Amino acid sequence: SMMQGINNRRAICVNFYDTLTEVSWHNVLGDIRIQEYKTSGNVTKVYLSDGISIVKKDLSELLANGPLTIPANRQLTFEIVKTTSAPAALTIAFE
């Protein structure tokens, strides 16, 4: 499956509590390559913005052609569409 081996990679997990659908994360790790992601079952879409070159794009479309490079010091915003107001999770694997 697409997520095979995610446990062998560095990853961040973003939690969306209650009605929260947007979370910001500042990339202080240096240049990273997002390889894949997985979500909890109540998430139907994930959008990514970086404030510069990516303006609210579908993460699955961004990764369709392979890993996505995010330069250091970008402020990333992850926005999700949920089917319920229950907490949701997004895990992003990168190198």
Side-chain angles (χ1 to χ4, degrees):
S1 73
M2 178 178 163
M3 294 311 299
Q4 190 175 4
I6 193 169
N7 297 326
N8 301 326
R9 298 202 177 112
R10 292 193 297 171
I12 57 168
C13 185
V14 183
N15 292 303
F16 298 83
Y17 298 104
D18 301 327
T19 57
L20 189 68
T21 58
E22 199 171 296
V23 168
S24 292
W25 178 66
H26 191 73
N27 173 23
V28 294
L29 300 172
D31 294 354
I32 63 171
R33 291 174 75 230
I34 296 176
Q35 296 174 309
E36 55 193 342
Y37 72 97
K38 66 179 178 181
T39 63
S40 53
N42 59 334
V43 175
T44 58
K45 280 274 189 191
V46 178
Y47 296 102
L48 174 66
S49 306
D50 73 353
I52 298 173
S53 58
I54 302 170
V55 182
K56 193 176 175 181
K57 296 219 176 146
D58 186 314
L59 189 53
S60 62
E61 290 177 16
L62 287 170
L63 294 174
N65 298 319
L68 171 68
T69 298
I70 302 289
N73 295 315
R74 288 284 168 93
Q75 181 75 32
L76 303 179
T77 301
F78 298 103
E79 187 179 343
I80 59 169
V81 178
K82 295 200 280 188
T83 56
T84 69
S85 61
L90 166 67
T91 303
I92 300 197
F94 60 91
E95 64 181 22

